[in-house]
Structures are given as structure tokens and as C-alpha cells.
């Protein structure tokens, strides 16, 4: 095993200068003793990764790479859809994605994922955590890590939001903050596009609601004064964010957007949630996951994909356009990912089954070298022929693109826990 | 043990790797140097804790006051806060044995069993929902010894109604042998060998890949056959070392002890096919597969509980219970009980685990001993300059409540105190408290279970700030609720006393009282609402969210 990296500069000065730098946020950040125990990022890195955002389009159930990013036209595994050229010479994608084909310059495709776990539960967890679950350590998922790394402690907007309004597959793609703690759990939207408990009840006036909070704080501060525990302060911090978060209520309201923009996205729920995701990242939310279900096409794969890929193509291209127009794409990464891909072999029900050994994902925007394809599968799409990438490599690449050194470590008590699994390496070819 | 064994078993014997065993016992203290066995647990706890404080010249925090000790002990033993009348009568009690009486009363109550079930269900099945509750309820009701519970969880007989539920521990994990291996190691032995899955542990010499795969070998033959556990007669674990060498794992316990076992050949395809057909048939009949002539899982139980090898087993549960009552283990992290990570008080851990084994793994006895100590009763307030490290246990801990504890607290605190007053018959009060505990399950489901380095999330704060449920369940102003009573209390100071005694188990200090009086008086135009807001602020204050 390689020698542990020393992530902490080590000096007390570093601690102080960092707080000084953070200014008003410092009091809060400094008091989060449990977090300081975990990790103290260096100042340069702190600067570098400011304002980075991620929108994850989670294609729940397992989208087919053959009908999206890695078509095999003319082969027995290829299915009925053709491949079309894109705005980047030499790159072809499925004809179901004509809009994305015209906008490949900001997007990189990875065609060589081999993640080995072809079960919905295990695959979904692996593609959320970037590694296999371990019994004794609860790892944080991508959203929790990014909320921790990219968010600020006293943010007035939510720093981890997860839309999963379909029922299929939700159980295996739930947010997990693991050892980072509930502070970084997503605000989960599971029934509609507005979060629970964000709006004040009518039975209390706004003034009383605020003053009730102030009374609570006064009482708590007296209790805290001479006491200490790793989680005590987080309790008050959670409450101190409530009023701020309540004012972000409007971010979740698409009717606040001009009709022209809403028309561009279209009327589907997935489209509306992507528009809300854009509103959130624009307001400073570092991580939003928008889940679209259900891609599990064991039967009628081609009808399913005709419908779902067409929607994805439209919404994803609109989202990228919108982000770009607002100058947000430079610091916002858009990822499409599933728990696995689908078998090249077409089964008797004209479906494709679970397939984790040679599939694709895409990365666009922030830190990404657009217009590239990394890795390749063989001519039938059965195996990875070139540039095999596992979940850890993918996560390392995402972190690197966002300015987070993937080989830093968290410390839980005395135990060092690397951000990605030890053997993971960054796919530098897709980085800008 | 009732489990039938084949003749073959007679020829099987343990070979202990003596040298490595001695090295691997987590502490090198020898029994003869420890305090005598017949001393009380509480005395021994205080002796060793004080000895270290003295040695490091740390002045411990003073004892917490009566009301605080009552609250802490009640939360820890029965999972709720005391009622205001319990608080008043305890504080006024002049009996010199009142604390002992309190502990006896709490441990003797059915709520103690229910709370143990909650705690152990969370310990054993952290990711599952209530899967062991039924078994645990039966086991804790009769205070079943911990070694017996372990045996039943590993080897319970599917046809024995009492043991059937225990098997859920293995069943829930049997689909992933690595996880089963890890979970058993962490839960029962306080040892996390998972890093050794891929490579020898860099810091802990003894934790080699052999150790992980040795542990895994105890489980690799176990399988699920239509919801019933079976164990094959054959099957080896092989792995590749970091140097690329392929190895077959030996049946090896965490101490390094290697168990010899009959050699078995891998059956041919025909035999395997026959076995499969037979299993399919049993599945249809919903019958358990036959027990193997040599059970590897059974070997684990034997070795883990064998005198000289049972240190890990006894120490792990002592450490976990200690952590539960002190907010910090004698060994931290709890799953790192290895030779390179000594206990803060090695003799104490040694003595307590020896005592546990000598007293038939009686967990209630251990719990009673720990909470009877003076160390357990220290104030959590520290006004000195530098706060002593938590591993000195010089200051009382501040621990986040579990979802059940917090939700039950909220229910007990917001119930009309007259319904649980000293005038009521004790059994009526008990029944009323049990029903409040039951009603708490809904809100408990909204709260996250606290793990190490737990941080309260904003979802919880939003829930308590804005949910309809909190308003309806806790802030209703009907007659059975605290708010209903407060509404009818005209004197503002009395109103505040009733509220703080119900919610905080104490009277307000002058500054708090002034703040609360001012809050209510400035809202005299909407008094009822203001009372609700005051109660909300008290319920959501940190004092209510933590055990301190």
C-alpha cells in the first residue's frame, strides 16, 4: 500500500488563515469541530473549487448504452436504430439523440465502464458511492461529498437536492451521507417537486415563526455554553439554516420562470425538475440529482428507449444550452449515469437485460474536455476493448474535474478513508 | 448443544496457534493483577477511572445534580425522560439509597426490556427495519445471556419457534458473504477486518489477508434456500495475495487460532446436481436443508466462546455498552479493538469482560453496574480552561438521543402532567407511558439514527419547524396535552414552572424565566398561540435533543 498522503498542511497558521479568508462564514465553519476533525482542505484547493456545481441526471433502471452513447449499427446486437454523426467529427451516437449530436463539443463520453455489479441495488449503490459498500464504514455518496466539499456551512440554499419522484428503483438510489453525517443528506423530493416542510404552516405568522426560532436559539445557547460534543453544535446549525432555506422556497417554483424558458424545457416532470435544478445551481446549490425512471427494459427495449432517450435528448440539450447561455456551464458539470447498462444481446421479448461489464456514461461542462470519447467496446459491445474504467475511476475523474484532489483522505476518528478507492485513477483524457 | 453431530466430529480437534494467540489478546494485562473478582462493578469502574485522573492530575467535573442524574439514568435505562412528578419526588427523596432504588425500579420495569430491544436492534440490524425485534423482546424479557443470544443468532434452529427469529441476523446478510463476515466481526468482536480483504493491514501486523479470509471461511458454505438457511458440506475460500499468489484460506479465528477440519473433496457435477434437486424439493416443502456433518458456522461459535479465545467477544460487548452509557468507548473506534489500539483503561476493560464471562454474560448486571458508578454521574458542564479528553471520562458526556428516545421524550414532555402524576395508580401511569412510547414511533421515523460523528441534518430542523405532524402531535391544545393545561394556568410563573418541569425536568433559572415571561407577556393578545410557541422552542432546544 502506498504511503498515506498528508492532506493537512499541519500548521496552526493554516487553520487561522483559512478562517480569516472565509470571513463571516468563518465563525460557523470554525465551530464545526466534528468536521474539522474530518478534514481540513488546503487554502489553494479551497479557492480553486469555489462555485463548482454538479447536476446528475440519474437514469434509473439502467439506460442502454447501445441506444444512447455507444451504438452498434448493423451488428446483430445493434437493434433497429442507426448511428448518426455529431458536431464533433468522428463521434457517432444513437439517432435517438439528434439534439445532443449537434452539441457534442461540451460533452465527453466514456464508453468503457466495467462496474461488475449487474443488480439494481448493488449497482445503484456502487454508482452513488463510487465503490463497493463496506459493512463497517458507511461511505458518503457523491452528493454528500460534493455538499461537503463545494458547499458552505451556513449556506442559505440547500446544498444537496435529490429529485426522485418515481417509485421504481428509488429504494436503491437513496442519499447516503455516511460518516459525513446527516448534515449532508440530500433534501429529498420524492412526491412532488417542492420539498417537504420548506413552507411555513398557516397556523403561525411569519413574525412569530421567526421569533420562536430566536427564543429557541437563546435557550439552546445557554445549554451549549459549557458543554461539548461532536454533534451538539450541528443541532443549532441545522436550525439556524431553516429560515434561510425557507426563503429558497421559490427556487423550487417553476412558475417563477418566464413561460418562454418553460416552453423550451417542455412540460414533462423530468424537464421541470431539470429546470429547477438549473435554478438551484444558479442560486449556489452544489449538487442536484434529477432521477428519471424507469429504464429497466427487459421487454420492449426499443419502444422504451425511443420514448425515454428522446426525452433525455431534448431535456439534456436544453439544460446544457440554458446553462451555457447563463455562463453557468463553465462551473457546472452535468453527468448522465445509471446503475449499469444493458446487454448487447437482445432477448426473446425484444428487451435487453442488466449489463455492467461494458457500458457508457457522459460528462459535460465544468472541467470536462468536450467533444471526446474515452474507451471503446468491441464491435458487438460485449466487452471493453480499450480503456476500462470502474466506478472509482469515474468518481476520481469527476472530483478532479471539480478541483478536488481525489486522493485526499477523510479521517473518521483515527482511520483514514480515501475519497475514492485506492486503485482508482483519473481518466485525464476527458479533463479540460 | 442439541445439534446432532456426526461421528466424524469426534476426530475433529482444535489446534491453537498458541504463540500468536498470546500476542493477539487485545490487552496484555494478566488477570492476577486486576482488582478482586468479588468487588462491585461500580467500585471497580470508579477505582480505575479515578486512578487515571489522579495520575494525569485532572480534576473531574463535580457530580451532576439529582434531577440531571435522574433524567440521564431514566433516558439510558428506559428510553424516556422522567415525568414532572417523578422528578419532584426523586429530588425530594431523602433516602440514602434513592439512586439504587431508582436503578432497581427502572431495570425491573418492562420499559427497560423495550429499550434494550430498541438499542440492540439498532446495534445488530442497523440497515434493516425492526427485523430482530420479536426475537430480542423474548430474549431480553428473560434476560438471556449474551453468549446464548450470539449462539442463537449464528445457529438458531429454524424449527424452534424461540430461535427462529434470531436467524434473521445471518439471513439478512447471507446474500453477501463478505458483508456477513464483516458484520459478524464488527458486531460481535469489535474488529473490522475489511481492509484485509484486499491487502494486509498496513499498521496492524496481525491483520493479514489470512485473517479476513479465515473469518470468511466460517460463512462461505452458508446459503439461503427459499428463506431457510443451509450449510454445504464442502467449499473452500481461495484468494489472491497482493503479490499475486493464489491461496486457500484456512479456518482461522481473529486471534489467529486455526481450526482443523475434515478434508472434503469438491463433489462432482452429478452429485452437485442431485444436491440441487434435493434442495429444490425442500424449498417447495418449506423445510430447512439438513445440517452438515461438519458445520463451519458452529465452529465459529465454539471457538469464539472458548475460554482463552473469548476475549474479543466479551470485550466487544463491554466496550459497546460502555460507549452507550458514556458516549465514548474504552476503545475507540468501536470496531478497532486490535493490539495496536489499546484501551484508555486496559485493566478496567479486562476486569469488566472477565466479570461478564464469570457471570454468565449477564448484560443487565453489567448495565446496572455501570450506571451505579460515580463516574456515570458526573456533570456535563465544564467551566475549566481546557476540557479533558473524552477518554478520561472526567466530564459527563453529551449524547444525541436516538430517534426512539427523542420521539418518546417529546410525547412524555407534551402530555398533560396531571395524567402521570403521583396521585395516579402506578400501573396506570406505567400504562400511560407505554402508550406514549408507542405513539412516538411516527415521529421517530422522521429522525436519523445517530452514528459516530453524528451531525443533525437540516431536514430534521425543517421537519420540526414546519410539519403539520409536529403541530398536531405535540402542540395541540386539548385537555390531554401539556399545552391544554398551561392554557388554563393563569399565573405566568406557575405556567412556566409546569412547562419546564415537564419538558426539562427542572425549574427555570432566573434568566430563562425572565426570557420566557417576556415572550408570553409581549404576546398577551394571542396568549394561547404564544404558549405553543414557547413549548416548541423548549422542545427543540438542544437540552431536549441530547442526553447530558
Amino acid at each position: 500500500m502506498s504511503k498515506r498522503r498528508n492532506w493537512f498542511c499541519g500548521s496552526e497558521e493554516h487553520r487561522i488563515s483559512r478562517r480569516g479568508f472565509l470571513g463571516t462564514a468563518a465563525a460557523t465553519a470554525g465551530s464545526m469541530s466534528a468536521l474539522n476533525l474530518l478534514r481540513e482542505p488546503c487554502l489553494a484547493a479551497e479557492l480553486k473549487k469555489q462555485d463548482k456545481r454538479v447536476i446528475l441526471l440519474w437514469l434509473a433502471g439502467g439506460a442502454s448504452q447501445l441506444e444512447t452513447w455507444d451504438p452498434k449499427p448493423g451488428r446483430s446486437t445493434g437493434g433497429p436504430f442507426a448511428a448518426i454523426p455529431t458536431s464533433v467529427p468522428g463521434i457517432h451516437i444513437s439517432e435517438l439523440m439528434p439534439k445532443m449530436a449537434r452539441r457534442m463539443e461540451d460533452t465527453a463520453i466514456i464508453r468503457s465502464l466495467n462496474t461488475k455489479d449487474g443488480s439494481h441495488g448493488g449497482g445503484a449503490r456502487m454508482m452513488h458511492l463510487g465503490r463497493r459498500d463496506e459493512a463497517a464504514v458507511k461511505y458518503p455518496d457523491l452528493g454528500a461529498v460534493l455538499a461537503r466539499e463545494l458547499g458552505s456551512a451556513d449556506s442559505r440554499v440547500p446544498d444537496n437536492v435529490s429529485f426522485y419522484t418515481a417509485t421504481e428503483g428509488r429504494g436503491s438510489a437513496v442519499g447516503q451521507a455516511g460518516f459525513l453525517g446527516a448534515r449532508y443528506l440530500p433534501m429529498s423530493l420524492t412526491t412532488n417537486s417542492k420539498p417537504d416542510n420548506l413552507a411555513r404552516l398557516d397556523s403561525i405568522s411569519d413574525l412569530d415563526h421567526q421569533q420562536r426560532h430566536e427564543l429557541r436559539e437563546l435557550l439552546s445557547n445557554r445549554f451549549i455554553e459549557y458543554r461539548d460534543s461532536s454533534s451538539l453544535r450541528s443541532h443549532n446549525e441545522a436550525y439556524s439554516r431553516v429560515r434561510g432555506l425557507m426563503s429558497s422556497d421559490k427556487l423550487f417554483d417553476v412558475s417563477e420562470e418566464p413561460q418562454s424558458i418553460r416552453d423550451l424545457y417542455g412540460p414533462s416532470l423530468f424537464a421541470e425538475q431539470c429546470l429547477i435544478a438549473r435554478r438551484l445551481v444558479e442560486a449556489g446549490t452544489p449538487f442536484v440529482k434529477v432521477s428519471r425512471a424507469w429504464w429497466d427494459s427487459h421487454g420492449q427495449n426499443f419502444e422504451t428507449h425511443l420514448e425515454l432517450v428522446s426525452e433525455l435528448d431534448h431535456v439534456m440539450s436544453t439544460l446544457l444550452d440554458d446553462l451555457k447561455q447563463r455562463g453557468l456551464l463553465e462551473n457546472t458539470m452535468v453527468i448522465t449515469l445509471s446503475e449499469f447498462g444493458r446487454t448487447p444481446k437482445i432477448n426473446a421479448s425484444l428487451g435487453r437485460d442488466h449489463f455492467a461489464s461494458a457500458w457508457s456514461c457522459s460528462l459535460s461542462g465544468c472541467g470536462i474536455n468536450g467533444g471526446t470519447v474515452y474507451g471503446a467496446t468491441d464491435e458487438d459491445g460485449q466487452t471493453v476493448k480499450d480503456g476500462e474504467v470502474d466506478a472509482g475511476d469515474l468518481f476520481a475523474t469527476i472530483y478532479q474535474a471539480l478541483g478536488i484532489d481525489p486522493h485526499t483522505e477523510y479521517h473518521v476518528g483515527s482511520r483514514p478513508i480515501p475519497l475514492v478507492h485506492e486503485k482508482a485513477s483519473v481518466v485525464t483524457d476527458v479533463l479540460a | 448443544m442439541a445439534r446432532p453431530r456426526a461421528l466424524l466430529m469426534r476426530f475433529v480437534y482444535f489446534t491453537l496457534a498458541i504463540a500468536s494467540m498470546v500476542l493477539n489478546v487485545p490487552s496484555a494485562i494478566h488477570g492476577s493483577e486486576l482488582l478482586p473478582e468479588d468487588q462491585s462493578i461500580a467500585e471497580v469502574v470508579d477505582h480505575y477511572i479515578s486512578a487515571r485522573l489522579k495520575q494525569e492530575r485532572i480534576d473531574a467535573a463535580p457530580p451532576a445534580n439529582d434531577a440531571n442524574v435522574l433524567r440521564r439514568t431514566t433516558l439510558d435505562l428506559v428510553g424516556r425522560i422522567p415525568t414532572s412528578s417523578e422528578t419532584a419526588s426523586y429530588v425530594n427523596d431523602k433516602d440514602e439509597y434513592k439512586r439504587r432504588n431508582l436503578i432497581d425500579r427502572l431495570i425491573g420495569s418492562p420499559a427497560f426490556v423495550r429499550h434494550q430491544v430498541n438499542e440492540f436492534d439498532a446495534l445488530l440490524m442497523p440497515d434493516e427495519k425492526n427485523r430482530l425485534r420479536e426475537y430480542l423482546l423474548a430474549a431480553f424479557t428473560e434476560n438471556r445471556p449474551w453468549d446464548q443470544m450470539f449462539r442463537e443468532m449464528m445457529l438458531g434452529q429454524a424449527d424452534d419457534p424461540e430461535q427462529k427469529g434470531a436467524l434473521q441476523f445471518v439471513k439478512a446478510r447471507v446474500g453477501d458473504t463478505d458483508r456477513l463476515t464483516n458484520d459478524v466481526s464488527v458486531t460481535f468482536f469489535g474488529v473490522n477486518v475489511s481492509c484485509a480483504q484486499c491487502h494486509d493491514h498496513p499498521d496492524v501486523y496481525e491483520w493479514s489477508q489470512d485473517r479476513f479470509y479465515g473469518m470468511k471461511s466460517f460463512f462461505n458454505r452458508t446459503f439461503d434456500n427459499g428463506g431457510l438457511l443451509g450449510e454445504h458440506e464442502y467449499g473452500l475460500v481461495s484468494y489472491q495475495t497482493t503479490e499475486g499468489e493464489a491461496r486457500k484460506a484456512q479456518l482461522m479465528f481473529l486471534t489467529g487460532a486455526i481450526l482443523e477440519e475434515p478434508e472434503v473433496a469438491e463433489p462432482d457435477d452429478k452429485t452437485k446436481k442431485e444436491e440441487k434437486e434435493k434442495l429444490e424439493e425442500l424449498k417447495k416443502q418449506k423445510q430447512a436443508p439438513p445440517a452438515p456433518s461438519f458445520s463451519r458456522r458452529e465452529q465459529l461459535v465454539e471457538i469464539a466462546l472458548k475460554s482463552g479465545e473469548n476475549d474479543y467477544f466479551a470485550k466487544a460487548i463491554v466496550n459497546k455498552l460502555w460507549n452507550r452509557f458514556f458516549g465514548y468507548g474504552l476503545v475507540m473506534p468501536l470496531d478497532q479493538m486490535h493490539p495496536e489500539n489499546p484501551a484508555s483503561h486496559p485493566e478496567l476493560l479486562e476486569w469488566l469482560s472477565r466479570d461478564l464471562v464469570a457471570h454468565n454474560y449477564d448484560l443487565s448486571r453489567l448495565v446496572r453496574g455501570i450506571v451505579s458508578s460515580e463516574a456515570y454521574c458526573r456533570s456535563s458542564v465544564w467551566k475549566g480552561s481546557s476540557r479533558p479528553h473524552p477518554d478520561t471520562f472526567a466530564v459527563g458526556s453529551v449524547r444525541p438521543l436516538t430517534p426512539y428516545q427523542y420521539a418518546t421524550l417529546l410525547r412524555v414532555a407534551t402530555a398533560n402532567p396531571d395524567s402521570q402524576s403521583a396521585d395516579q395508580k402506578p400501573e396506570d401511569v406505567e400504562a400511560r407511558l407505554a402508550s406514549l412510547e408507542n405513539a412516538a414511533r411516527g415521529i421517530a421515523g422522521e429522525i436519523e439514527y445517530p452514528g459516530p460523528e453524528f451531525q443533525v441534518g437540516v431536514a430534521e430542523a425543517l421537519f420540526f419547524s414546519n410539519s403539520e405532524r409536529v403541530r398536531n402531535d405535540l402542540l395541540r391544545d386539548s385537555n390531554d396535552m401539556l399545552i391544554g393545561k398551561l392554557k388554563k394556568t393563569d399565573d405566568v410563573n406557575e405556567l412556566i414552572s409546569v412547562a419546564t418541569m415537564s419538558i426539562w425536568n427542572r425549574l427555570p433559572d432566573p434568566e430563562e424565566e425572565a426570557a420566557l415571561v417576556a415572550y408570553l407577556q409581549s404576546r398577551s393578545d394571542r396568549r394561547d398561540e404564544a404558549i405553543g410557541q414557547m413549548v416548541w422552542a423548549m422542545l427543540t432546544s438542544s437540552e431536549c435533543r441530547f442526553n447530558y
Side-chain angles (χ1 to χ4, degrees):
Chain A
M1 190 185 134
S2 64
K3 189 131 179 75
R4 255 179 238 164
R5 274 162 189 261
N6 191 359
W7 42 267
F8 174 40
C9 306
S11 64
E12 193 55 31
E13 288 86 311
H14 160 238
R15 237 179 249 276
I16 292 161
S17 69
R18 178 173 170 262
R19 284 181 201 174
F21 165 72
L22 287 172
T24 49
T28 325
S31 65
M32 297 184 85
S33 53
L35 293 185
N36 287 342
L37 267 178
L38 288 169
R39 187 155 172 268
E40 189 85 26
C42 292
L43 190 59
E46 189 82 13
L47 272 170
K48 199 173 151 195
K49 67 198 185 201
Q50 271 182 355
D51 291 332
K52 302 281 169 68
R53 314 277 176 246
V54 171
I55 296 174
L56 169 62
L57 305 180
W58 178 255
L59 312 180
S64 168
Q65 68 285 4
L66 295 133
E67 276 72 52
T68 51
W69 307 116
D70 193 11
K72 300 288 177 189
R75 304 297 303 179
S76 63
T77 54
F81 301 118
I84 52 172
T86 68
S87 56
V88 178
I91 300 181
H92 289 65
I93 60 175
S94 169
E95 67 168 328
L96 297 178
M97 306 191 88
K99 293 176 182 172
M100 279 308 300
R102 290 197 297 273
R103 297 169 176 82
M104 278 308 292
E105 54 282 348
D106 296 312
T107 297
I109 301 170
I110 294 178
R111 282 182 177 156
S112 48
L113 286 168
N114 179 0
T115 51
K116 297 192 174 73
D117 192 334
S119 68
H120 287 298
R125 292 183 67 75
M126 178 162 358
M127 303 319 291
H128 274 72
L129 303 176
R131 56 185 132 198
R132 276 196 57 174
D133 258 329
E134 197 198 300
V137 180
K138 278 206 143 191
Y139 293 119
D141 66 13
L142 182 67
V145 170
L146 296 181
R148 164 87 179 97
E149 294 293 322
L150 306 179
S152 65
D154 58 349
S155 175
R156 289 174 67 86
V157 294
D159 43 27
N160 183 2
V161 176
S162 166
F163 290 94
Y164 207 133
T165 43
T167 46
E168 299 95 336
R170 194 196 296 158
S172 28
V174 295
Q176 174 169 316
F179 57 75
L180 290 181
R183 162 70 181 79
Y184 297 106
L185 277 174
M187 182 176 273
S188 289
L189 296 116
T190 51
T191 47
N192 58 44
S193 305
K194 275 211 163 198
D196 291 339
N197 305 322
L198 202 55
R200 175 174 55 80
L201 293 175
D202 292 336
S203 50
I204 182 167
S205 73
D206 187 54
L207 184 67
D208 279 351
H209 190 279
Q210 182 184 334
Q211 292 180 341
R212 178 178 82 162
H213 267 268
E214 287 161 6
L215 180 63
R216 195 210 80 84
E217 195 165 27
L218 181 138
L219 300 174
S220 289
N221 286 344
R222 295 180 58 79
F223 176 77
I224 285 175
E225 194 175 358
Y226 297 110
R227 292 189 171 91
D228 191 37
S229 87
S230 61
S231 47
L232 188 51
R233 285 199 167 80
S234 73
H235 185 239
N236 274 353
E237 276 158 9
Y239 277 93
S240 71
R241 290 183 65 210
V242 163
R243 296 278 305 168
L245 288 174
M246 285 172 68
S247 67
S248 74
D249 190 30
K250 290 218 178 326
L251 293 173
F252 293 90
D253 188 355
V254 280
S255 71
E256 297 276 317
E257 285 286 317
Q259 192 59 43
S260 57
I261 300 280
R262 295 176 66 182
D263 289 344
L264 285 176
Y265 277 84
S268 74
L269 189 60
F270 179 57
E272 285 202 345
Q273 290 173 344
C274 283
L275 176 52
I276 298 169
R278 193 272 288 155
R279 289 172 64 78
L280 286 164
V281 297
E282 193 170 33
T285 296
F287 182 82
V288 186
K289 174 171 92 174
V290 184
S291 303
R292 176 68 169 105
W294 179 236
W295 295 73
D296 195 21
S297 50
H298 289 284
Q300 313 301 331
N301 176 71
F302 304 105
E303 273 100 332
T304 305
H305 277 74
L306 177 61
E307 184 190 331
L308 291 175
V309 181
S310 302
E311 185 195 36
L312 174 67
D313 182 50
H314 173 74
V315 174
M316 184 181 175
S317 54
T318 309
L319 176 65
L320 292 180
D321 288 354
D322 194 10
L323 289 168
K324 200 169 188 173
Q325 221 158 39
R326 288 162 194 268
L328 289 170
L329 195 56
E330 270 172 50
N331 61 2
T332 306
M333 182 191 290
V334 177
I335 305 170
T336 67
L337 194 61
S338 311
E339 59 265 46
F340 42 62
R342 307 214 72 85
T343 46
K345 185 176 176 340
I346 299 163
N347 68 27
S349 321
L350 291 178
R352 297 190 192 270
D353 301 313
H354 300 183
F355 186 63
S357 51
W359 58 290
S360 307
C361 69
S362 77
L363 305 168
S364 313
C366 176
I368 295 301
N369 183 18
T372 53
V373 167
Y374 180 82
T377 51
D378 65 33
E379 56 187 6
D380 286 329
Q382 299 282 11
T383 56
V384 171
K385 195 176 69 181
D386 188 27
E388 183 170 301
V389 166
D390 74 5
D393 301 328
L394 175 64
F395 273 53
T397 309
I398 292 169
Y399 292 138
Q400 184 79 48
L402 296 166
I404 301 164
D405 179 354
H407 294 293
T408 51
E409 286 171 339
Y410 284 116
H411 281 243
V412 178
S414 59
R415 185 190 308 162
I417 297 178
L419 203 50
V420 292
H421 74 71
E422 275 169 17
K423 289 174 190 152
S425 57
V426 175
V427 182
T428 48
D429 292 21
V430 304
L431 297 183
Chain B
M1 233 189 112
R3 202 180 171 89
R5 295 182 193 184
L7 269 179
L8 186 63
M9 277 294 294
R10 295 191 185 171
F11 303 103
V12 175
Y13 59 94
F14 297 119
T15 305
L16 302 180
I18 301 291
S20 92
M21 179 191 91
V22 173
L23 281 174
N24 284 315
V25 174
S27 153
I29 307 295
H30 297 293
S32 57
E33 296 167 16
L34 297 174
L35 288 178
E37 285 180 27
D38 56 2
Q39 234 165 318
S40 80
I41 294 176
E43 279 172 351
V44 171
V45 165
D46 288 322
H47 170 86
Y48 285 121
I49 298 292
S50 306
R52 182 161 161 222
L53 291 173
K54 211 169 180 181
Q55 190 191 340
E56 299 192 17
R57 297 204 175 88
I58 296 168
D59 289 324
N65 65 31
D66 275 358
N68 187 346
V69 169
L70 171 72
R71 182 185 188 270
R72 185 184 299 174
T73 312
T74 311
L75 272 168
D76 273 338
L77 295 183
V78 294
R80 63 168 173 88
I81 47 168
T83 64
S84 50
S85 89
E86 282 175 321
T87 308
S89 75
Y90 187 76
V91 170
N92 296 325
D93 192 347
K94 299 279 179 277
D95 189 333
E96 63 171 311
Y97 296 114
K98 69 176 183 178
R99 198 153 83 81
R100 199 180 72 188
N101 296 339
L102 168 74
I103 293 168
D104 285 346
R105 175 170 69 82
L106 293 176
I107 289 189
S109 82
F112 175 70
V113 171
R114 293 195 297 270
H115 185 54
Q116 287 279 74
V117 170
N118 289 342
E119 292 286 322
F120 276 81
D121 199 40
L123 175 76
L124 295 161
M125 308 295 269
D127 299 319
E128 321 283 330
K129 293 272 177 229
N130 305 334
R131 304 286 286 280
L132 270 175
R133 294 188 67 86
E134 209 178 320
Y135 167 74
L136 291 173
L137 187 62
F140 281 112
T141 300
E142 59 175 66
N143 193 28
R144 212 171 283 173
W146 179 237
D147 61 333
Q148 188 187 336
M149 289 170 70
F150 169 61
R151 192 181 287 277
E152 287 167 359
M153 280 184 262
M154 292 298 116
L155 301 172
Q157 300 298 294
D159 50 8
D160 180 329
E162 278 207 7
Q163 297 175 10
K164 196 174 151 222
L167 279 175
Q168 199 56 42
F169 183 92
V170 175
K171 263 198 237 170
R173 296 156 166 96
V174 71
D176 181 345
T177 314
D178 288 342
R179 177 164 169 238
L180 179 57
T181 306
N182 275 323
D183 282 8
V184 170
S185 303
V186 168
T187 309
F188 295 104
F189 306 115
V191 169
N192 182 353
V193 286
S194 59
C195 9
Q197 198 169 338
C198 308
H199 54 74
D200 292 350
H201 194 292
D203 299 331
V204 187
Y205 167 75
E206 291 81 358
W207 285 8
S208 56
Q209 280 181 293
D210 302 341
R211 215 57 69 92
F212 175 82
Y213 290 99
M215 276 303 280
K216 185 173 170 174
S217 298
F218 289 106
F219 301 105
N220 73 311
R221 295 178 182 174
T222 299
F223 63 93
D224 183 292
N225 198 49
L228 291 158
L229 287 179
E231 194 174 342
H232 291 297
E233 299 276 358
Y234 56 88
L236 296 170
V237 172
S238 53
Y239 62 99
Q240 210 170 29
T241 66
T242 33
E243 287 77 38
E245 183 199 339
R247 269 195 216 164
K248 292 258 185 289
Q250 289 177 288
L251 210 50
M252 185 192 284
F253 187 56
L254 294 163
T255 51
I258 294 168
L259 280 74
E260 293 218 341
E261 59 178 331
E263 264 194 53
V264 283
E266 188 78 3
D268 57 25
D269 289 352
K270 185 167 160 270
T271 320
K272 271 193 181 168
K273 201 173 153 226
E274 284 167 9
E275 188 193 5
K276 207 173 165 203
E277 281 162 7
K278 198 172 149 206
L279 288 173
E280 282 303 318
E281 193 50 39
L282 287 168
K283 203 190 277 185
K284 274 187 212 136
Q285 297 164 3
K286 297 196 182 344
Q287 284 191 7
S293 54
F294 179 90
S295 163
R296 284 185 156 192
R297 233 162 64 235
E298 188 176 316
Q299 295 306 307
L300 175 69
V301 174
E302 296 305 324
I303 184 115
L305 299 178
K306 195 179 162 71
S307 170
E309 305 281 337
N310 57 355
D311 259 33
Y312 275 112
F313 180 73
K315 282 182 178 168
I317 192 66
V318 167
N319 197 41
K320 283 183 170 137
L321 282 174
W322 184 275
N323 177 67
R324 182 171 133 198
F325 296 108
F326 282 90
Y328 202 89
L330 291 165
V331 177
M332 284 301 266
L334 300 179
D335 65 347
Q336 301 286 311
M337 301 190 77
H338 57 71
E340 303 292 321
N341 186 29
S344 58
H345 300 72
E347 301 93 340
L348 176 56
L349 179 58
E350 194 75 33
W351 192 96
L352 289 175
S353 53
R354 184 183 74 181
D355 183 76
L356 183 69
V357 177
H359 290 89
N360 198 23
Y361 292 96
D362 179 349
L363 296 183
S364 295
R365 186 175 178 281
L366 176 59
V367 168
R368 185 191 302 267
I370 290 176
V371 300
S372 300
S373 68
E374 284 170 27
Y376 173 77
C377 295
R378 298 218 161 94
S379 168
S380 57
V381 167
W382 183 260
K383 294 188 175 173
S385 52
S386 63
R387 179 177 283 270
H389 193 275
D391 78 0
T392 60
F393 307 103
V395 189
S397 60
V398 179
R399 295 168 271 148
L401 299 178
T402 63
Y404 278 126
Q405 283 175 320
Y406 189 32
T408 309
L409 175 154
L410 295 168
R411 285 287 188 171
V412 173
T414 55
N416 187 333
D418 297 341
S419 67
Q420 46 204 18
S421 73
D423 309 338
Q424 308 275 315
K425 277 193 280 180
E427 56 271 27
D428 289 348
V429 173
E430 199 54 50
R432 170 101 178 112
L433 289 168
S435 80
L436 290 174
E437 188 187 308
N438 205 29
R441 282 172 191 272
I443 284 183
E446 304 282 344
I447 302 168
E448 208 198 352
Y449 201 90
E453 312 282 357
F454 175 68
Q455 304 253 293
V456 176
V458 73
E460 179 180 316
L462 282 168
F463 172 75
F464 280 105
S465 298
N466 296 329
S467 86
E468 194 85 52
R469 178 170 217 160
V470 166
R471 217 198 74 82
N472 293 342
D473 287 7
L474 307 174
L475 305 177
R476 216 172 50 232
D477 65 356
S478 51
N479 276 337
D480 58 338
M481 301 296 285
L482 172 67
I483 292 179
K485 180 179 168 72
L486 297 178
K487 222 170 60 173
K488 291 185 194 135
T489 308
D490 292 328
D491 181 85
V492 72
N493 298 89
E494 192 196 334
L495 186 161
I496 287 168
S497 304
V498 171
T500 58
M501 279 298 277
S502 296
I503 300 173
W504 289 338
N505 306 111
R506 63 177 178 86
L507 291 170
D509 65 29
E511 282 174 61
E512 284 164 341
E513 185 163 24
L516 297 174
V517 168
Y519 190 88
L520 292 182
Q521 281 176 350
S522 64
R523 286 162 188 76
S524 51
D525 59 327
R526 48 188 194 286
R527 184 174 178 269
D528 291 357
E529 290 164 42
I531 291 172
Q533 289 147 21
M534 178 192 79
V535 167
W536 178 89
M538 292 172 68
L539 292 174
T540 54
S541 71
S542 296
E543 179 159 350
C544 264
R545 182 67 181 85
F546 291 84
N547 193 355
Y548 59 89

